[in-house]
């Protein structure tokens, strides 16, 4: 008999992957499923990036690279951070990994000892708590409500900190809420972190996908102290439609970056060589495609948001970034005869043939997450199906 390690027996399977798998199973059976669970752009990687990757292979650049990334890619990342956010880093302060998820996993492995606490705002990206637990850390949750635009307050952060607190995760723009912390909000949170001397894990993977008149502020830009205690996480997956290429990075304290690189050298050897050359072009080449995608997502949001608001029992806040909507559907679930939102979501899939992600996977049990990283025609059809499903079952 095989006995699994304790560390994996408490893991919760990825909700997004589970829903996607079920939707794909139904599609394979010939069911016309519309999937709104995707966490990736629906565009192909820009042509100049594809060409750069192909050329690198033609040139024989298919061997091992340094564990923490090619020097040229580190330089491209450093230039990007300087260009976009006026942040200055040295190569020893940058580590490239196999996607931002792998970078975060590596970070928690080198940062946490057993019992160390990491503060995680709710709603959260599904992998944060699991990665903390895998490093024998303890997730400590702060619930940010819809009335707070799903953003934690300095007072909430202060009250959650204990003598075991190691770090807090700030994800802006957020998955799954699409909300963005303002400069003033980040300044207040950074001051609490300074006061209690805790680290900041700043996940900025959606920084290029912002709508309206808001802007992105990295908490690392606020002061020298904030920069010194921030581990900035980013990558090319969302901004350049390169989810499958698996390139992300961390920028921060050199000692921490070295430990992460050393661990990666024993676990992955190096990020995929071809993908690194593609990422170099992504950051050094033209950025027109990035803006084109951003405009397309914003156009879809403009069109679909009022239609979603019109569904009975749906309470939804307009997102400011990323490509997700997180409506509270607790009233809709109750009025249509379901005892939980998870059951409501299951019925949406099997009866209305629309796949969405239950908010329980993000710690927000009264919500569902819908991705608008798909065509407007598909989005419109999906929302119409949901609307018809709710109204057909509604009971006053």
């Amino acid at each position: 008999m095989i006995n699994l390690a304790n560390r994996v027996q408490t893991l919760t399977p990825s909700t997004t992957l589970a829903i996607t798998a079920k939707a794909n199973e139904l599609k394979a059976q010939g069911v016309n499923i519309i999937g709104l669970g995707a966490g990736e752009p629906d565009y192909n990687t820009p042509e100049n990036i594809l060409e750069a990757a192909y050329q690198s292979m033609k040139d024989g650049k298919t061997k091992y690279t340094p564990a923490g990334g090619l020097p040229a890619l580190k330089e491209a990342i450093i230039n990007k951070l300087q260009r976009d956010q006026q942040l200055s880093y040295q190569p020893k302060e940058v580590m490239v990994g196999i996607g931002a998820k792998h970078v975060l996993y590596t970070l928690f492995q080198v940062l946490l000892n057993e019992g160390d606490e990491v503060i995680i705002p709710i709603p959260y990206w599904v992998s944060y708590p699991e990665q903390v637990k895998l490093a024998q850390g303890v997730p400590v949750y702060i619930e940010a409500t819809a009335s707070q635009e799903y953003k934690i307050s300095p007072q909430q952060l202060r009250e959650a900190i204990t003598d075991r607190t190691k770090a807090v995760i700030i994800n802006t723009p957020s998955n799954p809420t699409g909300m963005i912390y303002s400069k003033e909000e980040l300044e207040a949170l950074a001051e609490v972190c300074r006061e209690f001397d805790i680290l900041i894990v700043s996940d900025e993977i959606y920084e290029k996908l912002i709508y309206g008149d808001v802007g992105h502020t990295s908490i690392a830009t606020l002061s020298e102290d904030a920069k010194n205690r921030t581990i900035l996480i980013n990558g090319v997956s969302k901004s350049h439609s390169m989810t499958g290429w698996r390139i992300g990075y961390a920028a921060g304290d050199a000692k921490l970056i070295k430990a992460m690189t050393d661990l990666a050298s024993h676990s992955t050897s190096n990020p995929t060589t071809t993908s690194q050359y593609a990422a170099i072009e992504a950051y050094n080449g033209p950025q027109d495609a990035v803006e084109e995608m951003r405009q397309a997502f914003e156009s879809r949001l403009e069109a679909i948001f009022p239609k979603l608001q019109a569904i009975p029992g749906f309470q939804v806040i307009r997102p400011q970034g990323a490509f997700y909507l997180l409506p509270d559907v607790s009233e809709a679930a109750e009025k249509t005869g379901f005892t939980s939102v998870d059951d409501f979501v299951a019925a949406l899939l099997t009866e209305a043939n629309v796949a969405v992600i239950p908010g329980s996977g993000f710690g927000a049990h009264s919500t569902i997450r819908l991705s608008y990283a798909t065509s407007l025609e598909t989005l419109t059809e999906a929302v119409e199906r949901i609307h018809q499903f709710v109204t057909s079952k509604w009971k006053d």
Side-chain angles (χ1 to χ4, degrees), residues 1 80 108 120 146 203 224 388-389:
M1 179 177 290
K80 174 256 183 274
F108 292 127
I120 302 175
D203 184 348
E224 191 65 24
Q388 183 177 2
F389 175 82

Side-chain angles (χ1 to χ4, degrees), residues 145-150 177-179 301 305 308-309 314-320 324-328:
T145 63
S147 63
Q148 300 169 249
E149 295 185 330
Y150 296 121
T177 70
M179 303 311 294
L301 174 61
F305 183 74
L308 202 63
Q309 282 184 305
F314 274 47
Q315 303 296 322
V316 57
I317 297 175
R318 185 185 186 84
Q320 300 167 310
Y324 306 111
L325 289 147
L326 193 77
D328 185 310

Side-chain angles (χ1 to χ4, degrees), residues 81-102:
L81 291 168
Q82 181 64 55
R83 179 176 66 241
D84 289 354
Q85 293 155 310
Q86 293 74 58
L87 284 168
S88 297
Y89 290 96
Q90 300 177 42
K92 66 181 181 180
E93 296 173 310
V94 175
M95 177 261 191
V96 182
I98 306 172
K101 180 181 285 189
H102 168 246

Side-chain angles (χ1 to χ4, degrees), residues 56 68 77-78 104 146 176-177 214 219 241 282 298 307 316 348 357 371:
S56 75
I77 291 166
I78 289 168
L104 282 163
T177 70
V214 298
I219 199 167
S241 195
E298 184 169 25
K307 296 180 185 297
V316 57
L348 271 180
I357 308 299
S371 168

